[in-house]
Amino acid sequence: MFDALSDRLEVVFKKLRGAGKLSEKNVQDSLREVRQALLEADVNYKVARDFVKSVQEKAIGDEVLKSIEPGQQIIKIVHDELVTLLGGQAEPMAPIDKSPTVYMVCGLQGSGKTTLAGKLALQAKRKNKKPMVVAADIYRPAAVKQLKVLADSISVEHFHLEGKKPQQICAEAVKYASKNFIDLVILDTAGRLHVDDELMKELEEIKSLTNPDELLLVADSMTGQDAVNVAREFHDRLDITGVVLSKLDGDARGGAALSIRQVTGCPIKMASVGEKLSDLEPFHPDRLASRILGMGDIISLVEKAEETIDLEKAEKMKEKILKSQFDFEDFLEQMQQVRKMGPLDSLLGMIPGAGKALKNVQVNEKDVNRMLAIIQSMTIEERRNPKILDGSRKRRIAAGSGNSIQAINQLLKQFAAMQKMFNNMNRMKMKGLPKGMMPF
Amino acid sequence: MANPFQKLRESLSKTKDNILGKISRVVLRRKIDDDLLEEIEEILIEADVGVKATMRLIETIREKAVQENLTEGEQVIDLLKNEIRSILLSNDTDESPIETKPVVWLIVGVNGVGKTTTIGKLATHLSNQGKKVIIAACDTFRAAAIDQISIWADRARVDIIRSQEGADPASVAFDAAQAAKARQADILLVDTAGRLHTKSHLMEELKKIRRVIDKAVEGSTILSKLIIDGSTGQNALNQVRVFTDAVGCDGLIITKLDGTAKGGVLIAIAEELEVPVEFIGLGEGVEDIQEFDSSKVVEALFE
């Protein structure tokens, strides 16, 4: 794995500890590390170079040289600059305010267009709008069917004309939509290489026939240096209005986004963060900046927690902890809440520093499942009062959950340790827990 | 059918222009100095040669220039050619392992790299060589993936073992492996759902598929082939690492190398990974796949 930028800068500044004074050369050394980090995050070479130059001017000021933690200071400047470059703040999609509003989706093969079409449709539906997806990919085998299956799964209308050209399909779709009270038409075009002149022409024609309100380029967040050329070509020919970053749920650092933003000047509007149709989020420049620098994404984590955790329940839980009444029943509920937030490993990935600290720790979804199975094999009474668990009960639970008795003893031990920890915390008169979050 | 080498040459012509073409223009009438090296570095990075390979190439030029007393910019070209050649050829192995039939190719990769299309092309390619091929449609997750692979199987005129969407991929793999044995197939191509390597439950599912196949055709040769999108940046390395940990990785297939300038990724992969590239995808047509021959690629890039 790549070292996070903060680790590397630490190395640079450690060398200086003895020297006592920071010089311009030190700053330059650290900026070289910054540049390397950007390149490793797939930021375009020229973009990275220009970026470092602009940071250099800011960083050589007295503020950095005199600060106690110059490494942190430089990272802050770099981070802030990145956020600015990425567009400052999230920019919304064109509103669905006329009948029909048209979104056109284009991009390279395999960037995630069809899935995005489905996600956009679902999002519109949740806003009580009536969307319709249009299958204009007549080239890839079964692409039309793929969109149809997705549309059916969310009960959204699907439009396609067998044997017709994509231009015609899209034009007809818009006509159909305006007669049938459709609020949003989503045109799913075929994947194509930006150097494929014929297919790029096809997109130009679709654009002029349908006059889309939003022309989105879907960009794979794992793309390398070529992202610049792709974005430039699509933008030059089609004048795109926004970019959607796909597959951000992987571990790509996503530097391509910075290049795309720089080259096209177009805002990055949405980010695709999973395979489920609900996994589409507004794009947050600050989070991507942290990610490009390998700094984790704590804000997303907190937000996810706030979204999924029931505040009232959390309050009750807090009460229980404070009164040392936390039992297995509560633990189960707590685990289920956390589970709703997504796979554990992706949650851990968002914690700053976790990437480094947990490099070799595999959060095993299976172990968690095993633990839940054990608790679920207990009776309510046993969950409330684990002390009554004797040999015979343990045997029953072991058989019921498919575990060994040792596994059950181990869980009981861990749980006892946790209760003890809570007791200690209470004794320290802890004032309050953060909203909705548990201290473990 | 067009001459395959011609096709390779055409596909890599932009890469060639992008690396050697640009560098040749830059070095004209220049002395070897830091500025020049930086410009060369820029060209290499932008051609997706990779950060590590680029840094190494630049260091080597710097050292050799001193050792051999080179001063003229043009002298860099030969140095670079030699270095790139040795990087590309470094992963060549000439021994082909003994294989027990049915040989199973487990085709894996992240979403959207072109697994299904590649399998379609591979099926045609292999059956044209007179091999009996069966396809296992184990992508039961993505909408219409089974239809897509079925169309490719029809085109290649090979048998396909399939189930319905949402079925357990491991059970399809099991059936297919047994069918491959019973029908005395030479090669079983297993299409799997795209998965990001960061999703541990999906990687577990992949391990299970591999285990099930292991059991169904005990003693057979099972090879995992990882497909990588040619436009992927540095993340390709993470992909190889994690997939290798999960199900091993006997070879890479690099797709979508047609027509654009991203052939540089072949150099990055050869430099940073020990896994050989076995095939490259050069287009959407059924014949647009080639066995990777590093010396031919070197020729297409340099001559």
Side-chain angles (χ1 to χ4, degrees), chain A residues 154-175:
Chain A
I154 50 172
S155 314
V156 158
E157 202 166 335
H158 171 269
F159 188 95
H160 179 65
L161 297 172
E162 199 60 52
K164 292 280 173 7
K165 286 169 91 181
Q167 294 91 322
Q168 220 172 340
I169 296 171
C170 294
E172 288 298 322
V174 175
K175 270 186 215 151

Side-chain angles (χ1 to χ4, degrees), chain A residues 138-191:
Chain A
I138 57 168
Y139 309 101
R140 183 164 64 93
V144 174
K145 172 123 190 252
Q146 184 187 351
L147 187 63
K148 182 160 177 19
V149 174
L150 287 179
D152 287 349
S153 75
I154 50 172
S155 314
V156 158
E157 202 166 335
H158 171 269
F159 188 95
H160 179 65
L161 297 172
E162 199 60 52
K164 292 280 173 7
K165 286 169 91 181
Q167 294 91 322
Q168 220 172 340
I169 296 171
C170 294
E172 288 298 322
V174 175
K175 270 186 215 151
Y176 172 90
S178 55
K179 279 187 207 132
N180 288 278
F181 308 104
I182 304 278
D183 300 308
L184 176 66
V185 177
I186 302 161
L187 307 173
D188 177 30
T189 64

Side-chain angles (χ1 to χ4, degrees), chain A residues 317-343:
Chain A
M317 202 78 73
K318 194 172 107 185
E319 285 294 293
K320 284 199 157 179
I321 292 176
L322 292 177
K323 288 182 187 151
S324 306
Q325 287 172 343
F326 190 75
D327 58 30
F328 270 123
E329 187 77 345
D330 304 316
F331 181 69
L332 191 64
E333 200 170 287
Q334 187 72 32
M335 281 312 294
Q336 278 156 352
Q337 294 251 10
V338 174
R339 267 313 191 46
K340 272 196 259 166
M341 288 163 58

Side-chain angles (χ1 to χ4, degrees), chain B residues 236-302:
Chain B
L237 308 173
N238 292 10
Q239 291 171 22
V240 174
R241 204 165 294 129
V242 181
F243 274 98
T244 306
D245 281 350
V247 289
C249 178
D250 302 281
L252 302 175
I253 300 173
I254 315 293
T255 56
K256 308 183 197 173
L257 283 180
D258 43 326
T260 65
K262 49 207 178 188
V265 72
L266 292 171
I267 301 169
I269 287 172
E271 163 75 17
E272 303 204 31
L273 301 168
E274 276 158 30
V275 191
V277 176
E278 293 184 344
F279 289 91
I280 44 180
L282 301 170
E284 290 185 311
V286 74
E287 279 168 356
D288 294 332
I289 193 160
Q290 289 199 2
E291 280 178 42
F292 179 75
D293 180 336
S294 46
S295 54
K296 286 225 176 86
V297 169
V298 169
E299 202 183 323
L301 276 182
F302 291 159

Side-chain angles (χ1 to χ4, degrees), chain A residues 115-116 118-123 126 150 153-154 270-282 304 307 340:
Chain A
T115 311
L116 177 70
K119 288 178 178 178
L120 289 171
L122 179 63
Q123 212 167 55
R126 286 189 173 162
L150 287 179
S153 75
I154 50 172
M270 307 289 278
S272 223
V273 292
E275 296 194 64
K276 281 198 290 282
L277 286 181
S278 53
D279 295 331
L280 183 67
E281 294 177 347
K304 252 191 176 163
E307 239 169 60
K340 272 196 259 166

Side-chain angles (χ1 to χ4, degrees), chain A residues 91-357:
Chain A
E91 211 166 307
M93 299 274 282
I96 308 169
D97 54 3
K98 54 183 188 195
S99 191
T101 300
V102 179
Y103 288 179
M104 177 171 162
V105 176
C106 61
L108 299 179
Q109 290 98 334
S111 52
K113 291 173 297 302
T114 304
T115 311
L116 177 70
K119 288 178 178 178
L120 289 171
L122 179 63
Q123 212 167 55
K125 220 184 139 196
R126 286 189 173 162
K127 287 182 196 150
N128 288 321
K129 302 285 181 183
K130 195 176 168 200
M132 177 177 85
V133 291
V134 180
D137 180 357
I138 57 168
Y139 309 101
R140 183 164 64 93
V144 174
K145 172 123 190 252
Q146 184 187 351
L147 187 63
K148 182 160 177 19
V149 174
L150 287 179
D152 287 349
S153 75
I154 50 172
S155 314
V156 158
E157 202 166 335
H158 171 269
F159 188 95
H160 179 65
L161 297 172
E162 199 60 52
K164 292 280 173 7
K165 286 169 91 181
Q167 294 91 322
Q168 220 172 340
I169 296 171
C170 294
E172 288 298 322
V174 175
K175 270 186 215 151
Y176 172 90
S178 55
K179 279 187 207 132
N180 288 278
F181 308 104
I182 304 278
D183 300 308
L184 176 66
V185 177
I186 302 161
L187 307 173
D188 177 30
T189 64
R192 63 204 71 218
L193 284 174
H194 53 293
V195 289
D196 188 332
D197 189 54
E198 206 175 307
L199 283 176
M200 291 302 283
K201 251 186 211 142
E202 178 192 291
L203 286 182
E204 288 169 339
E205 285 166 24
I206 293 176
K207 184 190 170 187
S208 73
L209 284 169
T210 59
N211 198 17
D213 302 276
E214 192 79 76
L215 210 170
L216 298 166
L217 173 68
V218 185
D220 189 326
S221 50
M222 297 183 276
T223 318
Q225 296 281 328
D226 206 38
V228 173
N229 303 325
V230 174
R232 187 177 294 133
E233 195 64 29
F234 271 93
H235 191 51
D236 283 356
R237 297 191 69 149
L238 294 164
D239 224 344
I240 56 176
T241 60
V243 177
V244 177
L245 269 189
S246 64
K247 304 179 202 169
L248 252 187
D249 46 333
D251 58 358
R253 304 260 290 273
L258 186 65
S259 321
I260 295 172
R261 164 83 208 182
Q262 276 299 88
V263 164
T264 63
C266 278
I268 300 163
K269 295 195 164 167
M270 307 289 278
S272 223
V273 292
E275 296 194 64
K276 281 198 290 282
L277 286 181
S278 53
D279 295 331
L280 183 67
E281 294 177 347
F283 172 73
H284 296 283
D286 48 338
R287 299 182 197 172
L288 191 75
S290 305
R291 195 173 163 137
I292 289 175
L293 298 174
M295 286 161 51
D297 185 0
I298 193 76
I299 309 160
S300 293
L301 181 65
V302 171
E303 211 166 73
K304 252 191 176 163
E306 281 179 353
E307 239 169 60
T308 44
I309 286 177
D310 186 332
L311 278 183
E312 213 170 296
K313 278 187 188 165
E315 273 307 306
K316 253 190 221 155
M317 202 78 73
K318 194 172 107 185
E319 285 294 293
K320 284 199 157 179
I321 292 176
L322 292 177
K323 288 182 187 151
S324 306
Q325 287 172 343
F326 190 75
D327 58 30
F328 270 123
E329 187 77 345
D330 304 316
F331 181 69
L332 191 64
E333 200 170 287
Q334 187 72 32
M335 281 312 294
Q336 278 156 352
Q337 294 251 10
V338 174
R339 267 313 191 46
K340 272 196 259 166
M341 288 163 58
L344 290 177
D345 44 355
S346 79
L347 294 180
L348 277 179
M350 293 182 196
I351 302 173
K356 187 184 166 203

Side-chain angles (χ1 to χ4, degrees), chain B residues 20-74:
Chain B
L20 277 176
K22 274 191 190 164
I23 293 178
S24 311
R25 286 192 287 278
V26 162
V27 296
L28 269 185
R29 286 185 289 281
R30 295 269 296 268
K31 296 281 174 206
I32 301 181
D33 56 19
D34 282 352
D35 283 347
L36 183 66
L37 289 179
E38 193 164 309
E39 281 172 53
I40 294 172
E41 180 183 276
E42 172 176 348
I43 292 167
L44 291 173
I45 295 258
E46 288 200 329
D48 265 328
V49 172
V51 179
K52 199 176 153 202
T54 300
M55 299 303 166
R56 209 191 70 159
L57 285 169
I58 297 295
E59 268 327 293
T60 312
I61 295 174
R62 204 188 296 273
E63 280 166 22
K64 290 233 163 122
V66 174
Q67 277 169 19
E68 295 167 25
N69 237 338
L70 307 178
T71 50
E72 300 308 311
E74 275 104 327

